[in-house]
Amino acid sequence: MGEAEASVRQRMTRGMVSLLSTRGYAATSLSEVLAASEAPRGSIYHHFPGGKDELVEAAVRRTLEGAIRTLEGMRGLDLPGVLAAFAASWRGILEYTDCTGACAIMAVSVGADKQELRELAAEAFRQWEEELADILRSAGMPEGRCAEQARFLLASYEGAVLLGRAQHSLAVFDAVDGVIRSAVLSV
């Protein structure tokens, strides 16, 4: 695949991530992806012969890769620093989208009608949890707490973003964030 073709494919994948996070799975059409990515009409089936499902798979993988890169940037921080950076990454979704966005993986997990896509989302969450547990371990959290705390943090911040989106408010996210940090640091 040439550089120009890769660029179109990447733009389409980024467009799908953005639309999944703001519109959800069912409300995202291929024509909207083309418009958002400024890709030529025939690009979908050229780059994604499997259609929407293949493009959604690429979007889930891209979202996970971004999440892992963000976590890797936290390596070397102490536990309060990791929690602050993790919270900031989630709050950034709301800030960037003016409280209209959420997580593209979550959109797939709740909106996809195909079992394979829901399983892909579940696997992405598992990988995200594992990486977060490793970051927590490197930040000094006791080994026996890392896995459960990673799951708690991921689920809690997903929920905080959804509440912030529903209420169109950073205040609700910040309130939940304060409770989350207090709970994790006091145990």
Side-chain angles (χ1 to χ4, degrees), residues 117-171:
L117 292 175
R118 290 191 305 272
E119 288 172 2
L120 178 67
E123 179 57 29
F125 281 131
R126 275 191 290 281
Q127 290 178 31
W128 201 345
E129 282 178 29
E130 289 172 8
E131 184 68 22
L132 179 55
D134 189 55
I135 297 297
L136 293 171
R137 190 176 304 103
S138 74
M141 182 174 278
E143 174 71 35
R145 290 186 50 216
C146 294
E148 73 178 17
Q149 290 299 310
R151 179 169 291 136
F152 169 75
L153 288 168
L154 185 55
S156 296
Y157 282 111
E158 281 278 7
V161 166
L162 292 175
L163 287 172
R165 177 183 168 153
Q167 297 178 16
H168 202 78
S169 169
L170 290 170

Side-chain angles (χ1 to χ4, degrees), residues 86-105:
F86 193 63
S89 70
W90 285 99
R91 191 176 199 278
I93 294 171
L94 292 172
E95 290 174 335
Y96 181 74
T97 64
D98 192 28
C99 294
T100 63
C103 173
I105 298 171

